[in-house]
Amino acid sequence: MREDRLATDDEKKLLVQFSGWGELANVWNLEAFAEYGEATAQLSPMSAEVERWGKRYYKARLELGELLSDEEIERASQSTLNAYYTSHTVIKAIWQAVVSMGFTGGRMVEPAAGSGHFIGAMPDNLRQQSRVTAIEKDTLTAQILGLLYPELETHASGFEDVQIQLESIDLVIGNVPFGNYKVYDRHNRDLSDLPIHNYFIGRSARLIREGGLLALITSAGTLDSGSRKFRQRLHREGMELVGAIRLPSCAFEQNAGTEVTTDILFMQKCVASVRRFSQFSYVGTTTVRTIAPVDEETEIAKSIIINEYFAERPAMMLGEMFLAEEVGKGSLYRGDSQTLFLANPNELTTRLDGALTFLPAAIFKPLNRNPFGELGRMAVNGYAGRVNIKGRSFTQSLIIREYETLKAAFSALLRAELNAEADVVTDPLRQALNNEYYRFTGCFGKLNKNRSIAFLEGYDPKFLMVQALELIEKGKDGKDIISKSAILTERVYPLRPLSVVETAEDALRVSLYECGRIDSAFIAAKLTKTISEVEHELITKRLVFRHPATDKLIDRDTYLSGDIREKIVQARLWLDQKPALQANILALEAVMPPTVPLSLITFQLGSVWLPAELITEWIKHELELDIRLRYNDQSCAYDLTVNNPYAVKNRSMGTAERKASDLIESALNGRSVVVTKTILDAEGNKREVKDIEATSQAVQAQEVLQELFIDYCRTNYVERIEKAFNDRFNGHVFKTYHRPQVAHYPGASPFIFLRNHQFKGVERIKDEDTMLAHEVGTGKTFTMISAAMEMIRLGRLSKVIIAVQNSTVRDFARAWQTLYPAALIYVPEKSDLETTNRKRFLQRIATNKFDGIVLPQSFLKFIPSDPTAEEELISEEIARIEAQGSSSREDQRASKKHIKALNKLKLSVEVRRKAQADRKQDDILHFAQLGVDGLFLDEAHKYKRYGFHTHRRNIKGIDSEGSQDAFQAMAKCRTIQRKGGRVVL
C-alpha cells in the first residue's frame, strides 16, 4: 500500500542502499517468468535454462509484480541498459575536487541522479546554498530519490524531456549513462545523433554558464574515440578540460557489480572566449602501445589508443591500459576493448587522492545572485513602464494583474465545459467571464487591434488564446468590426449531444449512439408513438431483429453481419417455439456466403489459420520426431521445439547444413533460407558470405517438404481444413449499408442529388470510421460533407475538421456551401495562416461553434498533437516488439544479453518515433484541447508512410521508415478515436 507521507529515518536507511536495476536485467525476462510459472503450476518439464532462471529470480519477480505498476516495470527493465551507480569513494573525491575549485553553492543539475548518491554525499554547507535539480528517468528510482531528498526539484523523466534555461547553471555533476544507443531531444536535435554518454555531456555543456563547472563520470570512449567530432564540438562551444581522472575497471565492481573503464571529466566554460587551460588539450588521441599478433598470417596487430591528455599525464590514469582479453576482465562489451587495469584494487583510494592533487584550484567564481530565484521566466516586475489609454495613464503591472484575472476566468470556464460540467456550473462562470471581459475592455480597450496592450503578447504566450474571446470581421465599408466570440454567450462544448429525429431509422441510430442500445421507450418518445407501434415499425421495416433466445432487439446492420452460420443455427433451435424467427433465417441466409471446398483453398506451411495440431501430426508422421509446436498470437510466429533433432529422417530429408525441422520452421515463419560460409578476404580478415550451392540445396529440400505436407493434408485432412478455412474466413459478413429512403439529407440543397454509393458511404461513416477508397470523380467531396453534416445533425459530432490539399481549400468550402447553403463554414484567410496569426485562428476553432472547419494540409501539421496520443502509439509499438522478443529461441530465454538487446531495440524505436513526431508546431493549445471530435483527411495518401518495425531485412520495395506527416496524422486520429468521435480517410 502506498502512503502519502515522508519517509522516516529508518526507511531512508533502507532506501539509500538501492543501487539500480543494472545487475538485475534477467529478473525482467517475461518469457522465462511465464514458462517457469506455467511449468511449476502444471508440474510439466522445462528447459534447463528456464529452471536456472526460476531458482534465482522467480520469487523476486513475483514480489516485484505485486509492488510495481506495469509502467514502472517497463521503465525498470529499460533502465538495465545503464543503471549502475557510483561508489562512495569516487563520489567523495569528485566533491572534494569541486570544492577545491571554488564552488561554494549555486544552481546545480544532476542529469542522471539515480537514487541520489551524489546528492547524499554533498557537503552540508553546499546543499544549503544550492538549488538542486535532479533528473531520473526510472519512475521508481525517482520516487526513492524524492523520498530521500524531498527538498530537491525532482523530474521523473529523461534528461531530453526536461527543459532548463541555457547557460543558467553553475554546476552539472553526476555519473552519466553510457552505451551505443541514443535519445531524441527535439530542442537539441544536433545532439540526438550522439551516443547517450556524449549527449549528456553535450547537453550539460549548453546548460552551464560562462565560468560554470562540469564534473561528470563518463565512458572512456568520450575521450578515446577515434572520431574527434564530439570533442571538437565541445571545444568550439567554449568547454575547456581542466582535468580528467581515468578510473580502473574495478572502480564500480563492488558497488554495482559491473566492470567498466570510466573517466571523471572536470570541464569549465571559458569566460569571454579567454581560454585559461589551453595547455590541457583533449581533442586528439595517440597510440601508446601496439600488441603484435600471435599469427601474422591470420591476425592483425592491435593498438592501445588513448586521449592525448592522458598520454601526457599518465599519473591521471589509476592503473595501466590493456586489452580486456589480456587481463581477462574489464569490459562490458568485447574482449578486444581497451580497459584500465589495477592489479590491486585496494590501491584505488590512494591513487585517486594522488590524482586530485594535480587538479587546478580556485578557478570557479560565484555570481552575486539568489540561486533559488525562478529560472527562465520573466517576472512581472520586469514590466515597469506606463501606457496611456483613452487619456489615462496605467502601469504595465496593473494591466498584467487585470489580464491574469481575465485569463483565469476564461480558463475556469473552458475547463468546466471540457469536463462536461452542468449548466448550473458553467452559467455562473460564463457570467463571471463576461464581467471580467467588460471590466478589462472598459479600462484598457479591446483585446485585439490594440497597440497599448501589445506588450502582453511578449509577457504571456497564451495571450493569443485570450484574444480569441473576440472575433474580427470585415464590415461593408472594409473596416474591422470586433465582436464577442460565442463562448461569452453560449456553451461551445455541448453538455449532451442534441439529436434531431425525423424518421424511425434516425430514432434507432440516435438510440444506439446516445443510449448504447435499442431503447424502445426512448425511440417512442422521439417519434411520439407507443412502444408497441415503434417496435412493430422497426421489425416490419427490417431495421431490427429479435434475438432468438432473449427476444432482445438487435439492429439490422449488426444482426446481418458477423458469424452468420452460428446465428442461423441459433435461430433454428428456437424456430418451433417462435415461428416469427423464419424471417430472421431468411434474412441471414440471404447474406451467408456458400462453403468454399478444399479444391478452391490454397494453403502451405506458414498458413497461420491451419490448426497447429494438424501440422504437429504431419511432422511426427513424416519425420518421426518428438516435437512441440506453439504459435504466438502477439508476435505472429511459430516456435518449434525438437526433442530428438538427430533422428534419421530429420537429417536425411534436410541437407548437410539444415535439418528438415529447421527448414519447416523457416517455412512456418515465412523466413527465407540462407546458408552462409566463412572465408578469408584479400586482407586476411574473416567474412561471412552466402553459400550459393548450399542455399540452393536447402531451398529445394524445403520445397519438397512443402509438397509432401500439401499432398498429405489433401488426402487426410479434407474436412478439418475446409472447416478451419470456412470458419475463419468464410463465415463472417461485414455490415451492409443501405441508402436511406430519402432523396436528400435534411438541410441539403434540393437541386443536388447524391448517387447510391455516396449515400452508402455516408451511412457507413455515420456508423464507423471509414476509408473512402473511391476513384477520382466519384464524389468523395460531397460524401464527406454530407457525412459531417449528418453526424452534426444527429448530435454524434459537435465539431468537424476536414483537411484538404492547400490548393483546394476554397473549392472545397464552396462545394460545402453549395450542398448545404445554410451551413456555417469556417475557412482560414490567407493572413490567418501566417506565423503571427495562426495561434489566433487556432483559438477561434477552440472557442466557437461551426458546422465545419476546412483546413489546408500544411496548417494541420502545425497543430501540436496530444502528447498522450503520441506516447500511446510509441508504447503500443514497443509492446509489439516485446511480444516478438518473447517468442525468441529457447536458448535465449534466460540470456541477460538478449534482454538488454531487446531493451536497446525498444529504446531505438522510441527514439525514432519521437523524432518522427517532432516537427515545427505552434506552442499553444494541442489538438485534444480544440473540442474537435471529427477528423476527415482528404488525399490520405499523404499520410501513408507511417512506418513499422520488422525483423526481416533486405526486402526490396519495402520501406519500414516513416514520415512525420503520417505520425502526426495518426496521433490526431488516435485522439479522435479515444473521444469516441469519427475518423474518415
Side-chain angles (χ1 to χ4, degrees), residues 496-788:
R496 179 184 178 90
L498 301 176
S499 304
V500 177
V501 175
E502 298 177 353
T503 67
E505 188 170 8
D506 280 347
L508 172 62
R509 292 191 181 280
V510 170
S511 174
L512 290 172
Y513 177 75
E514 294 193 8
C515 304
R517 58 190 174 84
I518 299 175
D519 188 331
S520 298
F522 175 87
I523 296 172
K526 288 289 183 181
L527 298 176
T528 63
K529 297 180 180 179
T530 65
I531 292 178
S532 59
E533 287 175 338
V534 299
E535 289 187 351
H536 180 267
E537 182 180 358
L538 290 172
I539 294 173
T540 301
K541 291 183 175 180
R542 297 293 185 263
L543 296 174
V544 301
F545 293 86
R546 289 197 182 276
H547 189 280
T550 64
D551 286 336
K552 179 182 177 181
L553 293 178
I554 305 173
D555 70 278
R556 175 190 61 200
D557 294 336
T558 300
Y559 190 70
L560 298 183
S561 61
D563 192 341
I564 302 301
R565 286 187 171 81
E566 177 61 28
K567 289 181 179 180
I568 289 177
V569 170
Q570 187 182 50
R572 285 175 174 163
L573 287 175
W574 291 87
L575 185 59
D576 291 341
Q577 301 177 37
K578 304 175 182 179
L581 290 177
Q582 185 63 37
N584 292 36
I585 295 173
L586 292 175
L588 290 167
E589 289 177 340
V591 299
M592 183 184 69
T595 299
V596 177
L598 180 61
S599 60
L600 298 179
I601 299 174
T602 301
F603 62 92
Q604 62 178 4
L605 288 170
S607 298
V608 297
W609 53 270
L610 289 172
E613 61 270 17
L614 182 151
I615 303 172
T616 302
E617 291 172 12
W618 172 74
I619 294 175
K620 290 181 177 179
H621 166 81
E622 195 68 51
L623 302 180
E624 299 177 357
L625 290 177
D626 178 17
I627 67 162
R628 182 180 65 175
L629 181 66
R630 295 186 303 171
Y631 181 72
N632 187 314
D633 289 320
Q634 289 184 310
S635 62
C636 300
Y638 286 94
D639 183 19
L640 176 61
T641 302
V642 182
N643 296 322
N644 56 333
Y646 298 104
V648 175
K649 286 190 175 181
N650 195 29
R651 288 181 292 173
S652 64
M653 298 185 72
T655 68
E657 301 293 337
R658 293 289 186 274
K659 293 186 285 293
S661 57
D662 295 329
L663 298 175
I664 290 172
E665 186 171 22
S666 294
L668 288 170
N669 290 310
R671 293 196 301 263
S672 300
V673 178
V674 178
V675 181
T676 62
K677 60 182 179 181
T678 304
I679 64 169
L680 290 178
D681 59 18
E683 289 76 27
N685 298 320
K686 294 181 179 180
R687 286 198 303 117
E688 292 288 327
V689 298
K690 182 178 179 180
D691 188 330
I692 304 298
E693 183 178 354
T695 298
S696 176
Q697 292 174 356
V699 170
Q700 291 176 16
Q702 188 183 63
E703 291 174 350
V704 170
L705 290 167
Q706 282 279 20
E707 292 173 359
L708 289 172
F709 172 73
I710 294 171
D711 291 342
Y712 187 85
C713 289
R714 291 192 181 277
T715 302
N716 298 279
Y717 299 136
V718 177
E719 293 183 358
R720 292 170 68 180
I721 291 178
E722 283 185 352
K723 185 177 188 307
F725 179 85
N726 284 280
D727 286 351
R728 179 155 183 171
F729 300 112
N730 200 36
H732 184 86
V733 172
F734 292 103
K735 282 189 177 183
T736 300
Y737 296 91
H738 306 278
R739 171 178 177 160
Q741 302 302 308
V742 294
H744 308 279
Y745 285 113
S749 170
F751 304 104
I752 298 177
F753 296 88
L754 299 183
R755 288 169 278 182
N756 284 339
H757 75 274
Q758 290 174 301
F759 275 113
K760 292 180 180 179
V762 172
E763 294 305 303
R764 177 181 286 274
I765 292 170
K766 288 163 66 175
D767 191 55
E768 62 184 4
D769 293 343
T770 303
M771 179 177 182
L772 297 173
H774 298 166
E775 297 177 357
V776 175
T778 53
K780 293 189 292 292
T781 296
F782 279 172
T783 303
M784 287 191 290
I785 293 170
S786 298

Side-chain angles (χ1 to χ4, degrees), residues 440-478:
F440 186 92
T441 56
C443 292
F444 312 123
K446 297 292 186 182
L447 296 167
N448 291 275
K449 303 292 183 179
N450 186 348
R451 292 183 180 180
S452 299
I453 61 172
F455 70 89
L456 290 174
E457 191 164 347
Y459 162 75
D460 184 8
K462 292 187 177 181
F463 178 56
L464 292 173
M465 179 185 77
V466 181
Q467 283 183 306
L469 286 170
E470 297 173 344
L471 291 175
I472 305 175
E473 299 173 322
K474 292 289 184 183
K476 294 181 179 180
D477 57 359

Side-chain angles (χ1 to χ4, degrees), residues 94-113:
I94 293 175
W95 276 117
Q96 181 180 338
V98 168
V99 171
S100 176
M101 290 177 185
F103 183 76
T104 57
R107 294 173 177 172
M108 182 189 120
V109 169
E110 186 176 359

